[in-house]
Amino acid sequence: MEPAFHEEQRLTQWWIRLIAVLMAALGWWAFVAQIVIGEPWGTNPAPDWAIWLILVFIGLALPGLLLFAKLVVTVDKECVRIRWIPFARRTLPLADIESAETRTYRPLLEYGGWGVRFSFRHGTAWNASGDRGVQLVLTTGKRLLIGSQRPEELEAAIRGEE
């Protein structure tokens, strides 16, 4: 069955990519200095096993997660599926959605940034980039914002409009 709506988004903010590159460079610098060259890294050097951990987690895993994470939103006749690969997923039956409205929002001020974010005042946001999305109000009264580069199409799919 062909979905009514499908969108994939990545973190496109330049400063997130810069952080990923700097973190990787730091991890690799520590590794090359202490393990490859043999010079203790820093004034109070960590043991070699800790440098290996720094390489794996800070030099490879963290930048990989930041660079390859993506938000996938799919709407079909029954539900809205939201996935923040590889972190989280949520399925919302269309029957649980009371209203859907396209809106412009302020990611940093309203939700504290991008990703899966929670705000006591604004509810939950699933967003990757930009400042537009679809604000859902669920039958429970909870609010959920889905960030989108095509919010009008997303809203129409949720409402069942073609």
Side-chain angles (χ1 to χ4, degrees), residues 17-37:
R17 293 185 181 268
L18 178 63
I19 289 170
V21 168
L22 292 175
M23 295 297 286
L26 179 67
W28 281 96
W29 181 29
F31 178 79
V32 168
Q34 186 159 320
I35 305 300
V36 176
I37 297 174

Side-chain angles (χ1 to χ4, degrees), residues 65-77:
L65 285 175
L66 289 174
L67 295 175
F68 296 108
K70 66 180 175 178
L71 176 66
V72 179
V73 179
T74 305
V75 180
D76 60 33
K77 292 180 181 181

Side-chain angles (χ1 to χ4, degrees), residues 81-160:
R81 288 183 178 82
I82 316 164
R83 295 177 52 203
W84 236 119
I85 297 172
F87 306 108
R89 69 177 57 212
R90 181 152 186 203
T91 300
L92 295 166
L94 292 177
D96 292 352
I97 300 172
E98 189 173 293
S99 68
E101 182 180 336
T102 298
R103 79 176 185 95
T104 300
Y105 64 100
R106 298 173 301 179
L108 288 171
L109 292 175
E110 292 180 38
Y111 298 100
W114 294 268
V116 179
R117 313 295 290 193
F118 176 77
S119 161
F120 286 107
R121 184 173 180 197
H122 301 284
T124 304
W126 292 62
N127 58 7
S129 64
D131 63 354
R132 300 203 62 222
V134 176
Q135 180 72 63
L136 304 178
V137 177
L138 306 180
T139 55
T140 61
K142 292 184 179 182
R143 295 170 53 166
L144 186 140
L145 180 114
I146 303 171
S148 176
Q149 300 303 305
R150 302 176 359 237
E152 291 83 6
E153 291 177 49
L154 174 56
E155 179 186 349
I158 292 169
R159 290 178 185 266

